[in-house]
């Protein structure tokens, strides 16, 4: 039997209610004629289930706007979902409203590094203040104990101690990113969520940060949920990868295998689009066709159907569910390729 | 040779700070032709954005342009009046900023923000502007554009905000587009769509593009030529294929080696040794890569080969990596 996962997300959904279209007067007339109308809903995260094991690194990739940030914000309990469950170890987190989550014990177990390290650090905080803050609030540290923890976290992240007195605008992008990571790991969370931590970094800083993350994983036994657009980075850093498309997980499995042998047509297109200095762009699949809208999508149609080179009539009649294609590797496609591709 | 769309010649920029003068750019020279896509690559802090801001005339108050010119259609942008520059910005030169969320107006609907630019810079009537704005949103791959036009930036994902910025830049129909990391927040399929749109514009209207990126793979695929910057200097420029086949500057070579391509293990990736020099130092070596360079000669501390701003190629190095074998150069 498999050991119990650290994080177990089941059937999680988040929908945003939108303004109905038309002017207020047009809407009033419509209401008079046709009765009350349904509020259109944007399905940002739609019935998502997955687990993360202890010490495991899971990557999350997918098209811009597919719901990655919404999903990780739900898990970090910054926003409330509509339904579903999020279990961390033995505790169910969805019972605690996001507003109150900051003050509960579980807070310390999940930390998040935000997309733009510069934006998430208070401009009036020095690097040292920024790293101290969660230690003081969540671990109740002060004085010498606090200082030594701050210095330990900074050193772990390769941040020279003389930079601790600097404000964010006096640090380079890479140094700021390291402050963001030091701040998140200082409290030694069980799960660290990183939302595109290296997007703004040049390659050499990026390599340093990735090697650091791998080292911390070994030293502290943390689990990671790592959102990135850089498939090369995900392949190098992650044990497993989740591929999202319009609010749904369409493929999951071992990172190397998924990228080497994508089973879902969307993953295939994604892998094919990676620019590569060492490989000229020839004969690549370029996605075309109509992109489905996340607003009130048809529950009985594959979300990828309008752009899919493999689509057949079945794809417009039934939503494909995640099904095993190889051990530990699943895809949600009626015609997923299970054998190795040529 | 036709006159370049933009010629940057010997541009130097300094910042006054409490802890000293930061010599952010020194003698930066390059050119970009009509219809050409020029990528500018280099480490964080190498001066890519500052170069763009100088050309746009939007350097912050602590900055001083200490030398050089940036010539666009006969006008030196660095010497132009505030009024002339306001006219040039948006109409002639448009910029996509590195951080789209902060560059957008947080309290104005995105459709209105695009329509504003259309009204100001393109021949579009107030009646037609909202419709045109929706069309542009559709062009940059935003689904349900009619509804999304009414969204505020916080209701859109990071990558959608980035695409709104791109729509705004294209709305002005500029002759020069400066795109500072235009696709960093985008997945590769959306990135491909966006880069196609920019390329289509370039070939249809002759728009020149300066494309700032730290993604060498993307530069390889999209740029005609590449300029490599390091610590406020242009160190090398070559046609894209030649640059990857025969990097001449040791820094270019290190940069290419640090790119994760088909490497199978993190530990195998090389990092670029050393750090960027402190640009506040009173005495910087003539070649600012000298302290990090494995090929350094004694002369590298005191002089640097100068580069020709109008040439398609540039190399600022005394001891470049071996030249292409005779006869192989295309
Ligand atoms: N506050 C909000 N109100 C309405 N819609 C929202 C809100 N926040 C997010 N959305 C919508 O939810 C969807 C998912 O957005 P999300 O930010 O999770 O995408 P993402 O996968 O992180 O994209 P990116 O890669 O571009 O950052 C988008 O369609 C977005 O417009
Ligand atoms: N307002 C300022 N005051 C002082 N120094 C500045 C200022 N703005 C920029 N600099 C310095 O100028 C140098 C070049 O910065 P620039 O933003 O152009 O780098 P970049 O190449 O765009 O890097 P990135 O890839 O991180 O965006 C850096 O050393 C930076 O610290
Ligand atoms: S289910 Fe059909 S439309 Fe959806 S990805 Fe598979 S083949 Fe394409
Ligand atoms: Mg996001
Ligand atoms: Mg920059």
């Amino acid at each position: 039997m498999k050991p119990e996962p650290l994080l177990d997300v089941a059937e999680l959904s988040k929908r945003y209610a939108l303004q109905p279209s038309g002017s207020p007067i047009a809407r009033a007339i419509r209401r008079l004629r046709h009765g009350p109308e349904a509020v259109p809903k944007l399905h940002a995260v739609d019935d998502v289930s997955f687990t993360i094991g202890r010490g495991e690194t899971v990557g999350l990739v997918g098209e811009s706007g597919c719901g990655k940030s919404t999903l990780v914000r739900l898990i970090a309990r910054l926003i409330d979902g509509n339904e579903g469950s999020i279990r961390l170890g033995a505790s169910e987190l969805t019972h605690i409203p996001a507003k109150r989550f900051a003050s509960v014990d579980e807070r310390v177990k999940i930390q998040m590094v935000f997309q733009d390290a510069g934006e998430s650090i208070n401009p009036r905080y020095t690097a040292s203040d920024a790293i101290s803050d969660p230690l003081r609030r969540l671990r109740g540290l002060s004085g010498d104990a606090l200082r030594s923890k701050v210095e330990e976290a900074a050193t772990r992240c390769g941040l020279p101690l003389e930079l601790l007195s600097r404000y964010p605008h006096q640090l380079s992008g890479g140094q700021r990113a390291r402050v963001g990571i030091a701040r998140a790991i200082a409290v030694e969370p069980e799960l660290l969520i990183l939302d595109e931590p290296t997007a703004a970094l040049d390659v050499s800083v990026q390599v340093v940060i990735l090697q650091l993350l791998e080292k911390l994983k070994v030293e502290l036994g943390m689990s990671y949920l790592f959102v990135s657009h850089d498939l090369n980075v995900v392949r190098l850093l992650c044990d497993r990868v989740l591929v999202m498309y319009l609010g749904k997980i369409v493929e999951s499995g071992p990172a190397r295998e998924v990228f080497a042998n994508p089973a879902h047509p969307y993953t295939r297109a994604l892998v094919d689009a990676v620019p590569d200095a060492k490989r000229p762009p020839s004969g690549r699949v370029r996605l075309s066709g109509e992109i489905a809208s996340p607003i009130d999508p048809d529950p009985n149609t594959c979300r990828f159907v309008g752009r899919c080179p493999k689509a057949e009539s079945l794809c417009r009649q039934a939503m494909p569910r995640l099904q095993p294609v190889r051990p530990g590797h699943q895809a949600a496609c009626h015609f997923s390729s299970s054998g190795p591709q040529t | 040779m036709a006159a370049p769309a933009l010629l940057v010649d010997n541009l130097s920029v300094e910042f006054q700070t409490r802890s000293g003068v930061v010599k952010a750019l020194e003698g930066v020279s390059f050119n970009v032709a009509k219809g050409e896509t020029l990528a500018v690559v280099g480490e964080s802090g190498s001066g890519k954005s500052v170069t763009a801001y100088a050309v746009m005339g939007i350097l912050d108050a602590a900055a001083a342009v200490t030398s050089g010119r940036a010539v666009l259609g006969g006008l030196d942008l660095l010497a132009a009046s505030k009024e002339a520059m306001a006219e040039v910005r948006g109409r002639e030169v448009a910029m996509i900023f590195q951080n789209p969320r902060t560059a957008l107006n947080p309290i104005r609907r995105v459709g209105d923000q695009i329509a504003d630019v259309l009204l100001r810079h393109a021949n579009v009537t107030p009646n037609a502007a909202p419709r045109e704005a929706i069309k542009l949103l559709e062009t940059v791959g935003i689904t349900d554009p009619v509804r999304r036009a009414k969204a505020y930036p916080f209701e859109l994902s990071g990558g959608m905000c980035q695409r709104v910025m791109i729509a705004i830049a294209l709305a002005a129909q500029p002759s020069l587009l400066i795109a500072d990391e235009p696709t960093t927040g985008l997945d590769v399929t959306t990135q491909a769509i966006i880069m196609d749109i920019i390329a289509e514009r370039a070939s249809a209207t002759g728009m020149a593009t300066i494309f700032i990126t730290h993604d060498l793979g993307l530069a390889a695929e999209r740029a005609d030529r590449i300029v490599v910057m390091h610590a406020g200097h242009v160190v090398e420029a070559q046609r894209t294929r030649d640059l990857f086949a025969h990097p001449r500057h040791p820094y270019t070579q290190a940069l290419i080696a640090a790119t994760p391509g088909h490497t199978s293990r993190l530990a195998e990736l090389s990092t670029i040794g050393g750090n960027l020099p402190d640009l506040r130092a009173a005495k910087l070596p003539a070649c600012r890569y000298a302290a990090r360079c494995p090929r350094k000669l004694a002369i590298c501390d005191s002089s640097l080969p100068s580069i020709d701003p109008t040439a398609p190629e540039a190399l600022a190095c005394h001891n470049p990596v071996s030249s292409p074998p005779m006869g192989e150069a295309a």
Side-chain angles (χ1 to χ4, degrees), chain A residues 244-261:
Chain A
M244 242 179 129
Y245 189 81
L246 274 180
K248 290 205 164 278
I249 291 182
V250 296
E251 182 158 2
S252 78
R256 270 153 219 264
E257 184 182 307
V258 168
F259 293 144
N261 281 313

Side-chain angles (χ1 to χ4, degrees), chain A residues 40 42 63-65 116 119 199 201-202 207 211 229 232 235-236 256 270 275-277 281 284 286 291 293-295, chain B residues 43-44 99 143-144 147-148 157 159 163 185-191 196 214 221 260-264 266 271:
Chain A
L42 187 150
E63 200 158 45
S64 163
D116 185 340
E119 253 172 69
L201 304 178
D202 65 82
V207 171
Q211 287 172 346
H229 284 306
N232 284 321
R235 185 173 53 88
L236 289 173
R256 270 153 219 264
L270 193 66
D276 184 346
R284 296 207 199 156
R286 177 69 40 92
I291 307 175
S293 166
I295 299 166
Chain B
E43 249 162 306
S44 179
N99 197 334
T143 50
D144 219 333
R147 208 170 239 140
R148 297 307 190 137
S157 78
R163 283 179 277 167
L186 299 177
D187 62 281
V188 286
T189 55
T190 310
Q191 170 173 283
D196 283 351
H214 53 73
E221 201 170 300
H262 298 288
T263 331
S264 54
L266 259 183
T271 53

